[in-house]
């Protein structure tokens, strides 16, 4: 029971953002650590044939309402940005580069980027925004910019997405605890009971 | 605050079955009544372009696991039937015919049919099964059989589906409280808070 909990999310997913605000404390309450894994829902949807939630007939309208109601229910701030959804390759690549150097800083960056997008409405699809947010968390801006221009972080993100899909990840957030998959921030109650009981 | 709560479901939806087991007590705890409205997800999916959950890549495998885990979490029995999903026109038409004669009997029929399918594995797509279940709840088997052969119940169900779609219903279960839509049995905590607070 000492394996970290895997937490998959897309930087453009409101429900992923909500889980990001909750998962570390939730895991810590049960003596567990969390491995954060940003992915691209676009890569997942190529496999599943799915489309982004906001574009779905009927479900899209509902989801906007549900995003904001779920945020209030969870006690979180969230305003759906004017440009939504966005491409999150740059943010995800930056995360993995930071993670290889300093996992704590990478997590701080991820939370800051999610809040910048979902609370302050900043467009984190832009490299300049990603660099600013990372630098504010203490990252080396120039070194990160250089890394983002190279192939290594691109390939790394591709590999992470492929591995996630191979594990059955099809949405955001997606949490795997000791092999048990949980999709959606609305699975927090089940996830908590799973951690309390070691499976039910 | 005296309008009934609208509860939409498909007889072939496990999450709809779970909600059917919960919604009346939940509403009654807040002095509210519930209007049950079976629909056909097939009719909804023609509008949304969606496909049945079990047929979706990755999500289908996950959902089978989630159905059974969610049942355990909610303290309900559920075994996904061998034939799943099924057509539920006959069950839904029978419901509306019964509902026009005796709403209490119609609700008893609906719960009995859902349990027959999701607990006992009976194929409730068959008219004989629907008639048996209705008769066991006190319905006039011959009169119901005659009604099911006619056009009135067909048109009634079509109208109900069209009205549901017009209200934005795109899945099962789908609950509307004073104009506020809730999709999914996992929205029970939000639904309870909504009833407690009159909106949040």
């Amino acid at each position: 029971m000492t394996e970290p909990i895997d937490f998959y999310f897309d930087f453009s997913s409101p429900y992923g953002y909500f889980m990001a605000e909750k998962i570390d404390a939730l895991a810590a309450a049960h003596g567990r650590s969390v491995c954060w894994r940003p992915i691209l829902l676009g890569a997942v949807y190529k496999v599943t044939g799915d489309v982004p939630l906001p574009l779905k007939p009927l479900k899209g309208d509902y989801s906007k309402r549900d995003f904001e109601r779920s945020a209030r229910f969870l006690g979180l701030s969230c305003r759906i940005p004017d440009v939504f959804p966005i491409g999150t390759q740059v943010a995800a690549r930056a995360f993995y580069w930071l993670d290889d150097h300093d996992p704590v800083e990478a997590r701080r960056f991820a939370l800051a980027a999610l809040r910048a997008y979902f609370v302050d409405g900043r467009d984190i699809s832009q490299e300049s925004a990603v660099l600013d947010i990372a630098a504010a968390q203490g990252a080396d801006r120039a070194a990160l910019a250089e890394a983002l221009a190279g192939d290594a972080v691109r390939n790394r993100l591709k590999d992470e997405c492929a591995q996630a899909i191979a594990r059955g990840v099809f949405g955001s957030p997606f949490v795997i605890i000791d092999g048990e998959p949980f999709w959606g921030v609305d699975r927090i109650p089940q996830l908590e009971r799973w951690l309390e009981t070691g499976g039910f």
Side-chain angles (χ1 to χ4, degrees), chain A:
Chain A
M1 298 290 284
T2 51
E3 284 290 302
I5 293 169
D6 289 313
F7 165 45
Y8 297 91
F9 66 101
D10 184 303
F11 275 100
S12 186
S13 156
Y15 301 124
Y17 156 58
F18 303 157
M19 186 64 98
E21 292 280 4
K22 300 287 181 186
I23 188 73
D24 282 346
L26 209 153
H30 298 91
R32 302 290 294 260
S33 63
V34 183
C35 178
W36 288 38
R37 285 287 170 266
I39 53 163
L40 303 180
L41 284 180
V44 171
Y45 292 168
K46 275 185 199 161
V47 174
T48 59
D50 217 341
V51 297
L53 201 44
L55 305 182
K56 292 184 181 179
L58 303 183
K59 206 180 271 193
D61 286 339
Y62 171 81
S63 71
K64 287 170 204 160
R65 194 165 184 156
D66 189 65
F67 291 153
E68 301 193 343
R69 188 180 63 209
S70 293
R72 294 194 300 276
F73 182 75
L74 294 164
L76 298 170
S77 293
C78 180
R79 201 174 56 80
I80 297 304
D82 296 333
V83 185
F84 171 76
I86 53 170
T88 57
Q89 307 90 308
V90 180
R93 288 173 193 151
F95 175 90
Y96 285 111
W97 185 83
L98 292 167
D99 197 47
D100 285 343
H101 292 78
D102 183 344
V104 175
E105 191 175 280
R107 188 158 322 190
R108 281 208 314 268
F109 159 76
L111 258 181
L114 288 163
R115 289 172 183 164
Y117 185 50
F118 286 110
V119 181
D120 305 326
R122 279 180 78 183
D123 180 358
I124 61 165
S125 70
Q126 301 303 308
E127 184 171 314
S128 58
V130 167
L131 290 172
D132 287 349
I133 294 164
Q137 300 304 320
D140 181 334
R141 197 182 203 282
L144 175 57
E146 198 185 322
L148 289 174
D151 282 339
V153 287
R154 283 169 197 269
N155 293 331
R156 171 66 179 280
L157 179 56
K158 265 189 205 165
D159 289 347
E160 292 284 350
C161 290
Q163 284 172 36
I165 291 164
R167 294 189 75 190
V169 173
F170 59 81
S172 166
F174 202 100
V175 172
I176 302 180
I177 304 177
D178 306 324
E180 184 73 12
F182 297 86
W183 170 49
V185 71
D186 42 38
R187 287 297 175 275
I188 281 181
Q190 293 194 23
L191 204 149
E192 284 184 312
R193 189 180 297 177
W194 197 272
L195 288 169
E196 278 160 19
T197 59
F200 63 85

